[in-house]
């Protein structure tokens, strides 16, 4: 069985304990590799390497860092096919999705921040000629970057790229559920002789390896579940280190009667089920204005029926496997609770047994639930699977209330052709990202992140570069000379 290795100080190394975690492919439910079960000693070794590397990398020119990052992005592009195949097998997502979204975004993340750092600037505050204040933005030190399983390499590089562009070095940990592409990424770094110690990758469980990283790091960037975010926030609180938290969501899709009907249904289906509904931005609560509720549900159901759940490696597969057996069981248990509360499953609601080589994989039918109240647990708790509820609403006022009735505040989509309504509703709902007549249209420069229990801080563009740098003001007094 293949053993995944940690990547520390430019070398692929085994965990000190010699212990490993089984790595399952959700595609066929079998263990196909072993993940290092790293602990404190591995993390300490990674930080030692990262600290040493920081003394050079942190002092290097922006152009030097840019050039290395572009070299790494090129090397990722050269391995695009292998990475996409690995991501699909490790995570269960359709291969076409890994090929068109996940892997291209890894190199795009590196290219974007490699270039952004060349254009990064800071402010000067002139005190009417008597003094000049200028702001320096030095790197912080060693960044701890922790990422989840739903977009494994995409989100890992989304953190590593701005951290190293700004001059920090990194100790990163991918999810123990999807570690494989981070391992391939380590091999790529090694192959191109990426400066050693700048990027270190330690695999393992969150409460052991992850927790040690959070304790050791000078700055922490985390994406994952809200409950984990709370643990991390309490750990960093003791040392006041900077911490960015990108957490869960319970995102509304709001469809007004005056929308472009066909486009809205099509986009809502995509927002519901892309990546098996395992994108933090997926719209899992669909609110439809009463006058078009019945035709909307009919068309939404028709389109959902046409989705193919199947072998992720096949071109016509719309939904692959959900990430793990445990996750599948959690999704099914949330559906059962919704049913017990009076919810009506109009399609799906069950795991699927598919034949052939994928017969033991973790497949789930796309599920639509009607007859729920916006206050029900199914509309409050994140399911993070191919499950949506559809509910009618009567007025703008009512739907704003329904949308905001959640502890989360990550993303929302509004479908309407009434410009004023679009602006009004966007302003009234408490979500960090609002799309109008679209979904998942991403610009890497925008402030990305959630309100309330969906997170703390923003990622993207200069927001990420600001986060990974200190803000230092220098005040220079200018003596008056009355002779000139
Ligand atoms: P998770 O919180 O279980 O794990 C995320 C990462 O944190 C993993 O690498 C895990 O090993 C690590 N971890 C767990 N406990 C830790 C601890 N005590 N200290 C340090 N690290 C620890 O989340 P998940 O199940 O992997 O991912 C799904 C969640 O991620 C969903 O809630 C989803 O909404 C969220 N997510 C959010 C965004 C966003 O941008 N807001 C993006 C993607 C996913």
């Amino acid at each position: 069985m293949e053993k995944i290795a940690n990547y520390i100080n430019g070398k692929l190394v085994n965990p000190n304990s010699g212990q490993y975690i089984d790595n399952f492919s959700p595609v066929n439910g079998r263990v196909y590799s072993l993940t290092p079960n790293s602990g404190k000693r591995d993390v300490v070794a990674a930080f030692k390497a990262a600290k040493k590397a920081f003394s050079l990398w942190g002092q290097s020119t922006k152009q030097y860092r840019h050039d290395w990052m572009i070299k790494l992005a090129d090397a990722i592009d050269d391995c695009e096919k292998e990475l996409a195949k690995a991501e699909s097998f490790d995570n269960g997502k359709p291969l076409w999705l890994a090929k068109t979204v996940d892997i291209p975004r890894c190199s795009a993340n590196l290219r974007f921040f490699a270039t952004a750092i060349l254009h990064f600037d800071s402010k000067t505050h002139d005190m009417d000629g008597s003094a000049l204040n200028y702001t320096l933005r030095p790197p912080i030190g060693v960044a701890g970057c922790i990422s989840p399983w739903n977009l494994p390499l995409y989100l890992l590089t989304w953190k590593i790229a701005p951290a190293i562009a700004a001059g920090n070095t990194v100790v990163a940990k991918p999810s123990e559920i999807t570690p494989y592409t981070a391992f391939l990424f380590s091999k790529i770094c090694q192959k191109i002789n990426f400066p050693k110690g700048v990027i270190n990758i330690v695999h393992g469980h969150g409460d052991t390896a992850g927790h040690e990283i959070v304790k050791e790091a000078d700055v922490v960037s985390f994406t994952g579940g809200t409950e984990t975010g709370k643990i991390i926030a309490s750990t960093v609180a003791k040392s006041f280190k900077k911490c960015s938290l990108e957490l869960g969501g319970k995102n509304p899709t709001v469809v007004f009667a005056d929308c472009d009907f066909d486009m809205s249904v099509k986009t809502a289906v995509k927002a519901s089920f892309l990546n098996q509904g395992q994108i933090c931005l997926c719209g899992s609560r669909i609110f439809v204005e009463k006058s078009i509720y019945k035709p909307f549900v009919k068309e939404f159901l028709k389109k959902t029926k046409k989705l193919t759940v199947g072998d992720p490696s096949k071109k016509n597969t719309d939904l692959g496997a959900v990430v793990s057996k445990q996750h599948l069981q959690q999704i099914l248990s949330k559906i059962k609770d919704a049913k017990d509360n009076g919810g009506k499953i109009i399609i799906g609601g069950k795991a699927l047994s598919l034949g052939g080589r994928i017969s033991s994989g973790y497949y789930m039918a796309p599920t639509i639930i009607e007859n729920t109240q916006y206050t029900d647990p199914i509309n409050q708790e994140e399911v993070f699977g191919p499950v949506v509820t559809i509910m009618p609403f009567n007025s703008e006022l009512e739907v704003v209330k329904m949308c905001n009735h959640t502890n989360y505040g990550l993303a929302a989509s509004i479908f309407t052709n009434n410009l004023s309504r679009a602006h009004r509703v966007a302003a009234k709902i408490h979500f960090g990202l609002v799309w109008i007549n679209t979904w998942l249209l991403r610009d890497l420069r925008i402030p990305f992140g959630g309100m309330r229990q969906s997170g703390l801080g923003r990622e993207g563009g200069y927001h990420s570069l600001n986060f990974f740098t200190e803000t230092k003001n220098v005040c220079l007094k200018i003596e008056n000379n009355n002779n000139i």
Side-chain angles (χ1 to χ4, degrees), residues 104-123:
R105 242 313 271 284
C106 299
S107 57
N109 286 339
L110 286 154
R111 285 183 208 289
F112 176 81
F113 284 108
T115 315
I117 197 65
L118 297 180
H119 302 268
F120 197 34
D121 55 15
S122 64
K123 280 191 169 173

Side-chain angles (χ1 to χ4, degrees), residues 146-151 155 158 173-177 204-214 222-229 231-232 235 245-249 278-281 327 382 384 408 410 448-450 454 459:
I146 300 183
S147 52
W149 50 256
N150 65 323
L151 299 161
L155 286 176
W158 177 238
K173 192 190 90 59
S175 168
E176 61 276 34
I177 300 168
H205 288 298
D207 55 357
T208 49
H211 182 64
E212 292 302 330
I213 291 174
V214 172
F222 169 78
T223 298
T226 296
E227 290 313 309
T228 314
I231 297 172
I232 291 176
T235 308
L245 300 170
E246 295 292 344
L247 310 175
Q278 301 168 142
I279 300 177
C280 54
L281 307 166
H327 190 54
E382 191 180 38
F384 216 52
Y408 293 109
L410 187 54
F448 178 98
S454 287
E459 293 185 327

Side-chain angles (χ1 to χ4, degrees), residues 186-197:
S186 306
K187 286 184 173 178
I188 294 170
C189 291
Q190 197 184 42
K191 191 169 138 200
I192 64 165
N193 285 323
F194 199 85
K196 63 179 186 182

Side-chain angles (χ1 to χ4, degrees), residues 328-345 349-350 364 367 369 372 377-378 383 387:
L328 176 63
Q329 279 158 358
Q330 277 166 5
I331 297 170
L332 292 171
S333 123
K334 296 229 165 137
I335 293 174
K336 185 182 171 300
D337 290 349
K339 254 173 33 185
D340 292 348
N341 269 327
K344 185 176 149 208
I345 315 287
K350 55 180 191 294
M364 167 85 213
T367 301
I369 312 177
T372 66
I378 189 71
V383 178
V387 181

